[in-house]
Amino acid sequence: MGKVKKTPMMEQYDAVKERYPDCFIFFRLGDFYEMFNEDALQASKILEITLTSRNKNVDNPIPMCGVPYHSADDYIKTLVQAGHKVAICEQLEDPKLTKGMVKRGVIKVITPGTIMQEKALNQKENNYIACLKEIGEFFYLSYCDVSTGEVFLTQGQEMNQLINELEGIQVSELVYPDSINPSLLEFLKANLKTHFSVIDDQAQASPSLMTKLSKSLTSDQAEAGLACLNLLLAYVESVQMQDLDHFQAVNFYQIIDYLQMTPYTKSQLELSRSLRSQRKKGSLLWYLDRTKTAMGGRLLHQWLDKPLQVKEPLLQRHDKVQSLIENYFHRLDLESALDKIYDLERLVTKISLGHANARDMIQLKQSLQQIPYLNKVIAALRADGQDSFNPLASFDTLVKLLEESLEPDPPLSVTEGNIIRDGYHQQLDKYRDALNHGQQWLVELQQREREKTGLKTLKVGYNKVFGYYIEISRLQAAQLEDPRYQRKQTLANNERFITEELKDIETTILEAQDKAKLLEYELFVAIRQDLSRHIPTLQSLAKQVAELDILCAFASLAEEENFCRPQIIDQPGQLELEESRHPVIEQMIGPANFVANNLKVSPDKYLLLLTGPNMSGKSTFMRQVAYAVILNQIGSFVPAKLAKLPIVDKIFTRIGSADDISRGQSTFMVEMMETNEALQEASSRSLLLFDEIGRGTATYDGMALAQGIIEYIADKVRALTIFSTHYHELTNLATESSNIRNIHVGASEKNGELIFLHKIFDGPADKSYGIHVARLAGLPESLIQNSQAILFRLEAKAKKMDQNEDQQLSLFDQESLDSNGFDVKQKNPVSPLLEDLAKANLNQMTPLDTMVYLAKLQNQAQELLD
Ligand code: ADP
Ligand code: MG
């Protein structure tokens, strides 16, 4: 192959690619972004665009593909969401003014954690990028949302705590220093599904940004974590390549200050994503979220992720929700104003980064116009004695500026004019005057020329290429003898001319037009820059609005769904719920079909053993208790008629691996590991929900473990616990330990059919009804009857052993007894057959039917006798 000399442009490209080897280079050529070589091969597949080549006529053509620059956002989004980075390489000089090669350079790198393309961001979701760094004996975690400017910093002694945080915030990209311990990196990669990016440990964020963000930090611990924040900011600056003026003061927090839940617990409780679809729909967040604004939605998600553990702010939220319920009309007013408020946080970011167009500014104006309205209602609430509602900062001068300067319905483009209002700027008005006059002059000129030449069809026109002209037919043109007329363009039937006078008018008009556009753009940019001064105050306004929005949403929810105000009990281990409901299931099956339940836990009997048939509602009940606790601790009312709740420090749920639909490979080992985590970390202020654990192994094995776990909790952990079990035998434990109490979900039998009451009662369930559930599920009748016969024999045997040996049956020496309980009152296996016969409606049967029916009965009878 002959060596091909590179063109200067490809040399330029290669130099860029060398600096950004891990990015797709979007190389600006005219109206396109082009990709070359390996980038082109890959991108053409991912983006489903045509692969072509450059240098087609030489031996080694360069693969190439491209996307139009005006629709690049969609392609960028696709690549980035597939986990890639895109470097935007722009022309840095105007090609029209440059001889030879245009200078090009990367102006921005777009990564999963920093993407700002509107379509790539979910309105009500944050998009976080994080950085982890080990400092001394701590791990530090810093994360931010570039689109809102929120910045956080926290620390932990164990990696697991930070992994929990990262999973909680659903981090899109994790930055780690190149000095990281390789085994730690391996651990992170194995445990976190996100995109990883590396940064030089020596990288420095700009000192002014660091100072601004860390100014407010007071604790030594936070100070110690600044090196972690520094790396995060250094990385974001390196890809964003712009001042991050909109970044807000860092929020330093301790993980243990909030209600802690493992990612497993959050996912089992379906807090923000449903188990089945992994989407918001069907989750508690989805159910709760009646917020009107994007920032309210995002803040609610943050609250749900980090419920509080402090009483005062919770009482304050409850107070506000209550007064918003009591002041229905005030709330309606607030809600209708909130509804008109756009995403202030992201608008502010766009303004700060200089991305905002005139429509964004109009959205800002319309949002700010609602503030006086909100303040009026807040003042009314305060006048009623609700002085915990604080008035919002108003932005009257800003609104006035936006009202006076901007057209109410401007175009998207900021360079094509029609943005700035008449009367805002003298010079602009003059240009516009000139434009208007110019139009008038043209009309007059046409009239004059018609009179002078006597040609009635003469007309003045304009076209983009040739500018203004006077048009007459070719026939007439041939006879025209007027030295002022200079030929400009010849068409099939017409001739076009220009005159000195027309030239002058043209210059005035075009100049005025160009100058007006330019001036409009300059004025617009100046207004946008002027707004930058208000960024911090606008951001705190956004937070206040978000909070107000959530509280209104809580109030509406409480009112529409019959929630009650919880009372906070200071004593841990104590809890009382009256007519409590599972709000999501209730909504799914309809309020009329949902059976509300009571629960009263006293501090001395904190471990509840919950029994009841499959499908009776055990899991539902346990989750609704967790929901009541969580809702209380985010400041919401709870779905019950009465709720007295303790402030809980941690919630652990563990669903038996046999029932666990959330994990493909959830094994018994994982189940035990997570059980261990709960037992080790729970305190007497925690809530434990163990749902049928121990089922993933042999019966006795599982039962023995379950008993061991229960006894350990009762003696050592002493946490408020609901332990549901199908090991009916465990209900005996309540008599042995004073801290354990039996409760059960009731069911009743009618004509051999099982009826679920979904009602919680005191005491143990009397059997587990497995066979009845199997019948409901439609298993063959002969199979069901066979099972009943087996159960009967087993129970008889157990009873005989019991009587003969006259000893209390220990749990572990009943061979082959399965978990279906052993109630000796169980009916004789013949009875279903007799019941069937008794119920048969002979009058409605044809003779043939009777024959068939009789044959079936005989069959069953024979099977029983075999
Ligand atoms: P279990 O854990 O006992 O097997 P689940 O809690 O999974 O049972 O509940 C099974 C189904 O029963 C739920 O999907 C729901 O449709 C219904 N259910 C549960 N609790 C109630 C209730 N309190 N009122 C009405 N229906 C309920
Ligand atoms: Mg269950």
Side-chain angles (χ1 to χ4, degrees), residues 614-615 618-620 659 691-692 724:
N614 247 327
M615 289 300 287
K618 298 185 296 298
S619 302
T620 305
D659 265 2
D691 195 354
E692 313 229 14
S724 83

Side-chain angles (χ1 to χ4, degrees), residues 580-582 585-586 588-597 610-624 659 691-692 695 724 745 756-760:
S580 126
R581 292 121 50 208
H582 185 303
I585 300 230
E586 181 186 35
M588 267 160 20
I589 65 176
N593 299 319
F594 194 89
V595 181
N597 272 302
L610 172 59
T611 42
N614 247 327
M615 289 300 287
S616 62
K618 298 185 296 298
S619 302
T620 305
F621 180 68
M622 293 167 82
R623 278 168 213 201
Q624 87 193 35
D659 265 2
D691 195 354
E692 313 229 14
R695 198 149 62 153
S724 83
V745 196
F756 293 125
L757 304 175
H758 302 303
K759 196 88 196 160
I760 303 284

Side-chain angles (χ1 to χ4, degrees), residues 328-504:
Y328 174 72
F329 290 106
H330 288 336
R331 189 176 87 233
L332 283 195
D333 287 344
L334 290 177
E335 284 173 345
S336 81
L338 287 166
D339 219 8
K340 298 187 191 103
I341 295 183
Y342 291 89
D343 193 341
L344 279 172
E345 263 176 332
R346 285 185 174 153
L347 282 173
V348 165
T349 299
K350 281 200 208 166
I351 290 169
S352 171
L353 293 176
H355 298 165
N357 59 35
R359 288 194 191 164
D360 295 323
M361 311 266 265
I362 293 298
Q363 290 194 347
L364 175 68
K365 179 191 79 176
Q366 289 171 342
S367 305
L368 295 179
Q369 281 170 335
Q370 301 305 316
I371 305 300
Y373 217 76
L374 289 174
N375 272 338
K376 225 162 78 186
V377 186
I378 290 172
L381 283 167
R382 288 172 66 87
D384 275 355
Q386 314 295 336
D387 47 13
S388 56
F389 289 97
N390 289 318
L392 309 171
S394 64
F395 291 81
D396 299 342
T397 20
L398 194 62
V399 172
K400 194 155 167 273
L401 168 70
L402 292 171
E403 282 172 348
E404 284 171 356
S405 60
L406 297 181
E407 285 291 342
D409 193 10
L412 267 181
S413 164
V414 292
T415 51
E416 294 300 312
N418 299 322
I419 294 179
I420 306 291
R421 295 185 74 152
D422 286 341
Y424 174 68
H425 195 265
Q426 259 189 353
Q427 186 59 41
L428 181 63
D429 288 348
K430 273 191 193 152
Y431 290 142
R432 285 185 175 158
D433 238 24
L435 271 172
N436 289 338
H437 276 126
Q439 301 298 337
Q440 188 55 39
W441 293 334
L442 290 174
V443 174
E444 286 165 13
L445 180 129
Q446 175 171 294
Q447 192 52 37
R448 251 183 287 129
E449 290 302 322
R450 278 183 185 174
E451 281 162 16
K452 278 188 194 165
T453 57
L455 302 173
K456 289 232 162 50
T457 53
L458 174 148
K459 64 177 192 225
V460 173
Y462 173 80
N463 109 4
K464 261 197 170 155
V465 183
F466 293 97
Y468 287 94
Y469 53 79
I470 298 172
E471 187 175 272
I472 47 185
S473 75
R474 287 184 73 169
L475 215 67
Q476 292 168 331
Q479 288 158 18
L480 185 74
E481 276 181 30
D482 188 331
R484 292 176 307 132
Y485 277 57
Q486 300 159 31
R487 192 160 271 123
K488 197 171 183 184
Q489 190 190 5
T490 304
L491 304 178
N493 299 321
N494 296 319
E495 203 77 61
R496 288 175 175 176
F497 298 90
I498 181 99
T499 65
E500 282 305 317
E501 192 189 359
L502 184 56
K503 254 190 216 162
D504 285 347

Side-chain angles (χ1 to χ4, degrees), residues 761-778:
F761 296 100
D762 263 325
D766 55 354
K767 47 184 153 181
S768 26
Y769 302 94
I771 294 179
H772 294 80
V773 175
R775 173 181 276 147
L776 280 185

Side-chain angles (χ1 to χ4, degrees), residues 32 46 57-58 73 110 221 271 343 438 474 520 538 545 552 565 568 581 644 658 674 762 780 804-805 846 862:
F32 279 79
I46 302 173
N57 46 2
V58 296
D73 275 3
I110 299 160
Q221 283 167 317
L271 289 194
D343 193 341
R474 287 184 73 169
E520 282 203 61
L538 285 170
V545 167
C552 283
R565 176 174 179 157
I568 297 173
R581 292 121 50 208
K644 295 184 182 171
E674 265 155 1
D762 263 325
N804 287 354
E805 293 164 24
T846 63
Q862 277 166 356

